[in-house]
Amino acid sequence: MKILVPVKRVIDYSVRVRVRPDHRGVVTEGVKTGLNPFDEIALEEALRIREAGHPVEEILVVSVGTAESQQVLRTALALGADRALLLETAQPSVPAGIARVLRALVEERKPDLVLMGKQAIDDDAHQTGALLAGLWGRPQATCVSRLEILADGRLRATREVDHGLETLEVDLPAVVTADLRLNTPRFVKMPDIMRARQKPLDTVPAERYGLGEDAIEFLSFDPPPERTKGILVPDADAFVAALKERGVL
Amino acid sequence: MSRILVIAERHHDRLTEGTRKALSCAAALDPGGADLAVLGRAAEAAAEEGRRLAGVARVRLGPQAGFDPPLATVWAPVLARLAADYEAVLMPASSLGRDVMPRLAALVSGVMITEVAEVIDPRTFRRFIYAGNVRLTVRARPEAGRLVLTVRLASWPAAGERAGEAAPVVRDVPDPAGDPGTRYIGLEEHASERPDLQSAKRVVSGGRALGSAENFALLEGLARRLGAALGASRAAVDAGYAPNDLQVGQTGKIIAPDLYIAVGISGAIQHVTGIKDARVIAAINKDPEAPIFKIADVGLVGDLFTIVPALEKALERAGVGS
Ligand SMILES: Cc1cc2nc3c(=O)[nH]c(=O)nc-3n(C[C@H](O)[C@H](O)[C@H](O)COP(=O)(O)OP(=O)(O)OC[C@H]3O[C@@H](n4cnc5c(N)ncnc54)[C@H](O)[C@@H]3O)c2cc1C
Ligand SMILES: Nc1ncnc2c1ncn2[C@@H]1O[C@H](COP(=O)(O)O)[C@@H](O)[C@H]1O
């Protein structure tokens, strides 16, 4: 089995992101970045499939982004991916563009499983996985919190949905997107970082996989409306009185 | 003929409140009204409900068989055929909408925008990114394809009943077809007597501080008295104190109740983004420095294990609930 894991470099979740004074983007100077947390979970799942004894010939991680995305690909290699591919572009794209590129890539590499994040924590778009599955014409299981490979080679996936947990079985190849509770990713170890330097990381222009102009323009980045700090009350009765006063009891 | 199509969503055979919210968003796109597509089991009853809602121009009804339970691989190709008649297709940003709509966008080469919070003009929208830290204005290029939108539930009011005659119903949704390569096994539905988290007017939410599933049940008494839904932080769900569908936040549900009471929740940005549209936020936390107090309208510092029972009594004294 070949597993493809698309990963995105994002601003770390602990950073309080701020908009730039010119409203054309967010402040990135000196800001900590890393693998999108959901992509770390997707990669971890790929590693666990192999470690559970399923024959996995290759775990390929791919990122569409600027040269700086090499950093997250190196991390992914250190975590245990076999090889990495940077589809380089100066202008990071929206999910439609990324999915188009990934579609061309699966045509070429023919993975049996694409394991990716359910959402990127920067654009919070929650699109790329299902877009790719649609373009590819293959089954999808999104927001997966449990994954099992069945004896006949199909997948059984449990999804987190609005009213509980839904279980599907899908034929391969398929696209699976990882939710938070699928697993807890391992940490990178120093010797693995050294060893990962030997692993192949190829760079190809993303345009070669069909990245073109986006259909969406970003007009303005603004701070969201802020809530103001309220009052502290001394006890339960005052708490109830304050809520009554605000008309919600 | 309407230019906008809203995909109805049902829960227990009733239209969800999200469907009504999507209709409000559709009205902002085109005040002339939207068509409402109702697919699957009990669609007749849902269609009856739908044709009485404000903003519905027509109801398009499908065959009852083959659409339940809803699978993205089955729904998307049928919706793609319907979409051909419209400039924009909308669905609530529910778990189903998030699953189906990008697949639909792929099939119709559409322009997808997630969680529309505001409509500026028919091609320009506002939405939140970076866990709600940034409000982004985006425009779909005029020459790009049709719009595929999910509607941010916390941003829109639910469409009400219509004044005049009920909208007409047409039965022209095609049959589902093809082998989707997907088999539905089942839904482990988390049954609760509490109201639905997404549409409840009041929500009582618990965090890591509850410490166990047994302790989490402590919140039920309070929620019952308030007629409130239960919610939870990611930490509480990860630890198994609460089921997954109670998670509120960036990667869970984004809600806008009249009253949100956070109990033993620190107020991480990923959590706060899910509640900042609530009318009143109240918080109980033993740490006066907890970030939740920076956004709470009403805060009470102290140990939840003494405050929650005291609060129930105080509500009783104040004649709230029973
Ligand atoms: C990619 C990603 C996505 C995420 N998505 C979400 C999301 O959707 N929703 C979400 O909630 N989180 C999400 N998180 C997690 C988030 O960052 C926080 O870790 C989480 O919200 C913390 O939960 P908590 O407030 O319950 O726990 P903690 O941060 O541990 O806070 C517990 C609080 O309880 C207080 N406390 C302790 N004991 C008592 C007591 N006896 N009485 C009163 N107060 C007490 C403490 O002072 C503390 O403030 C996400 C994180 C990542 C990385
Ligand atoms: N630039 C990118 N390169 C590689 N994978 C990506 C990229 N952007 C998004 N993805 C993948 O798509 C998932 C969902 O992203 P999104 O649809 O943007 O929320 C992410 O978790 C990644 O797995």
Side-chain angles (χ1 to χ4, degrees), chain B residues 207-208 233-234 247-248 251 266 270-271 285-286 303-304:
Chain B
R208 194 195 310 269
S233 72
R234 174 193 171 185
Q247 184 179 316
V248 171
T251 53
S266 59
Q270 292 85 4
H271 186 79
N285 196 303
K286 71 172 184 193
D303 184 350
L304 75 92

Side-chain angles (χ1 to χ4, degrees), chain A residues 118 122 124-125 127 138 140 142 162 165 167 169 171 181 214-215 217 219-220 222 224 227 230-231 233, chain B residues 95 99 103 114 130 133 135 137 139 141 181 183 185-186 188 238 247 250-251 253 276 278 296-297 299:
Chain A
K118 82 162 177 178
D122 50 4
D124 283 331
Q127 292 183 19
R138 295 304 311 168
Q140 67 190 52
T142 59
D162 281 346
L165 295 168
T167 300
E169 286 178 8
D171 296 345
R181 282 169 281 276
D214 284 330
E217 296 169 87
L219 300 186
S220 181
D222 298 283
R227 292 187 77 102
I231 57 159
V233 294
Chain B
S95 53
D99 194 36
R103 193 171 179 104
T114 300
Y130 291 102
N133 272 318
R135 186 169 65 181
T137 309
R139 180 165 60 206
R141 290 186 199 281
R183 203 148 68 90
I185 302 301
E188 201 184 299
D238 281 3
Q247 184 179 316
Q250 180 188 19
T251 53
K253 287 179 178 145
K276 62 181 188 183
D297 302 285

